[in-house]
Amino acid sequence: MAEPLSNGAVYHSVPESYVLPEHKRPGSSPPSCSAAAIPVVDLGGDDTDRMAEQIVAAGREFGFFQVINHGVPEDVMRAMMSAAEEFFKLPTEEKMAHYSTDSTKLPRFHTSVGKEQEQLLYWRDCLKIGCYPFEEFRRQWPDKPAGLGAALEPYTAAVRGVALRVLRLAASGLGLADEAHFEAGEVTAGPVIMNVNHYVACPEPSLTLGIAPHCDPNVVTVLMDNGVRGLQARRRHGHQGNGEGGGGWVDVDPPPGALIVNFGHQMEVVTNGRVRAGEHRAVTNARAPRTSVAAFVMPAMGCVVSPAPEMVAEGEAPLLRPYTYQEFVGVYTAANGDRDAVLARLQNNNG
């Protein structure tokens, strides 16, 4: 059983098991672009055409953007972050009561998870929680810290509302016939799962990563952090879906009170590459611990995912073949979330 990083220890060097091979390290060089490059979308006001245009533009370049005036009350956000940080301050034995190596278990506490066959360990502890539908998951929520359960329900309901609003705006901006396209079928009918991530202060950030580069498997993710820098998004260049790595890493440094939104693989497929899944990674921080709360909105397991008809021009082939989300999750897991490997296994060979 792995010892969590959040066990109260102060690390003066990175243990050997966390030191990544040189080609996988973030290095000590700064990101290639300004933090201001990640768009900020103001969801306040009535100019929905502007919002829709900005969301689609951000989706094309990054698959990432930040939202302000999003309607989630400050006290709801504050209570959720406070409970998240308190969980990782619990005595080790109380956190480890939820420990499991079974990735399907909920709730699940895990630590230092990497690619087992390569024995790569990453600088992160994580509590994974099933959140919505509430009647399905409420009884499973950890009873410690005391405020966690009370914070989860209003926060999940609020950020799920933000996610669905963003998807409606995206549908409008993309020219889909039905602004409720993502709600009409099963594309957002799956559960909302939350990763509560914690990255303790790391003495040598150039040697390791909190999370390896990846795209989320779901439709859309809404994330809040505690203001400590660590999340980076990749600006991609070239033709969508061609597997080229593209541009450099960009710090995602949200303004106070903002939420971070990124599209997952399913959004790229439904739009046939018109917007991109946001590739991202987490770097570590030498000065302070970072906590983030990521809520994943996903399809039902039996949902057949394919492009919206409006997204496939006459004479154009879908980038990927149709599949069920359950099949996708199997492919994603087998490929360890590697973007190019996932896309290669689901290529449309009839195109």
Side-chain angles (χ1 to χ4, degrees):
M1 185 177 289
E3 180 77 8
L5 290 162
S6 57
N7 62 359
V10 176
Y11 296 90
H12 300 288
S13 63
V14 174
E16 185 65 29
S17 55
Y18 293 90
V19 176
L20 299 179
E22 285 195 25
H23 69 285
K24 291 183 180 290
R25 296 177 193 175
S28 56
S29 59
S32 64
C33 308
S34 164
I38 298 292
V40 177
V41 179
D42 187 345
L43 295 180
D46 300 321
D47 192 352
T48 56
D49 289 344
R50 171 191 56 79
M51 299 173 201
E53 181 180 334
Q54 290 177 337
I55 287 169
V56 171
R60 286 186 176 130
E61 186 171 9
F62 292 104
F64 259 87
F65 51 97
Q66 302 162 93
V67 292
I68 59 174
N69 294 319
H70 42 66
V72 182
E74 288 184 19
D75 61 333
V76 170
M77 295 176 66
R78 192 162 49 246
M80 185 67 238
M81 181 54 66
S82 176
E85 291 178 328
E86 283 300 314
F87 176 83
F88 295 101
K89 294 176 183 175
L90 291 173
T92 297
E93 61 272 17
E94 294 184 5
K95 292 193 290 280
M96 296 300 277
H98 304 287
Y99 180 83
S100 178
T101 57
D102 178 359
S103 62
T104 65
K105 182 181 181 295
L106 294 172
R108 176 195 177 208
F109 175 65
H110 56 97
T111 182
S112 314
V113 172
K115 300 180 180 181
E116 291 181 7
Q117 70 274 23
E118 298 178 22
Q119 296 184 320
L120 299 182
L121 301 183
Y122 291 92
W123 197 265
R124 174 180 73 138
D125 287 352
C126 178
L127 175 66
K128 184 177 182 180
I129 313 172
C131 295
Y132 180 91
F134 300 124
E135 60 273 15
E136 179 179 344
F137 293 114
R138 191 183 289 119
R139 292 187 301 275
Q140 302 175 3
W141 293 342
D143 56 4
K144 292 180 181 180
L148 180 59
L152 269 172
E153 192 159 332
Y155 180 79
T156 301
V159 295
R160 182 174 183 270
V162 171
L164 296 181
R165 185 180 179 204
V166 162
L167 291 174
R168 286 192 292 272
L169 288 165
S172 174
L174 289 161
L176 300 186
D178 183 4
E179 290 186 9
H181 177 88
F182 295 99
E183 298 164 73
E186 294 188 301
V187 181
T188 56
V192 175
I193 305 297
M194 184 181 293
N195 275 1
V196 184
N197 304 301
H198 187 69
Y199 312 88
V200 302
C202 177
E204 299 169 284
S206 65
L207 299 181
T208 190
L209 282 169
I211 299 179
H214 69 286
C215 299
D216 292 339
N218 51 304
V219 181
V220 64
T221 301
V222 181
L223 181 140
M224 167 181 63
D225 67 22
N226 65 344
V228 175
R229 183 173 290 183
L231 179 64
Q232 293 182 340
R234 173 172 274 170
R235 170 182 273 159
R236 297 184 69 86
H237 300 299
H239 184 270
Q240 294 98 318
N242 68 352
E244 296 298 322
W249 292 104
V250 182
D251 279 321
V252 184
D253 191 16
L259 292 168
I260 301 163
V261 179
N262 69 273
F263 293 135
H265 276 289
Q266 309 318 308
M267 190 68 174
E268 184 165 342
V269 174
V270 170
T271 66
N272 206 35
R274 299 299 191 273
V275 303
R276 303 162 187 247
E279 188 174 9
H280 55 288
R281 68 183 186 180
V283 298
T284 58
N285 192 294
R287 298 188 309 276
R290 176 173 179 262
T291 303
S292 68
V293 178
F296 305 110
V297 175
M298 60 189 65
M301 281 296 182
C303 176
V304 177
V305 182
S306 61
E310 300 94 326
M311 294 290 95
V312 184
E314 187 175 350
E316 182 183 23
L319 293 176
L320 303 181
R321 60 176 173 79
Y323 53 79
T324 65
Y325 186 57
Q326 184 169 17
E327 180 188 3
F328 181 91
V329 170
V331 169
Y332 185 89
T333 302
N336 289 298
D338 180 89
R339 174 189 168 87
D340 294 342
V342 169
L343 296 178
R345 296 185 193 198
L346 294 169
Q347 285 291 320
N348 180 11
N349 296 319
N350 298 320

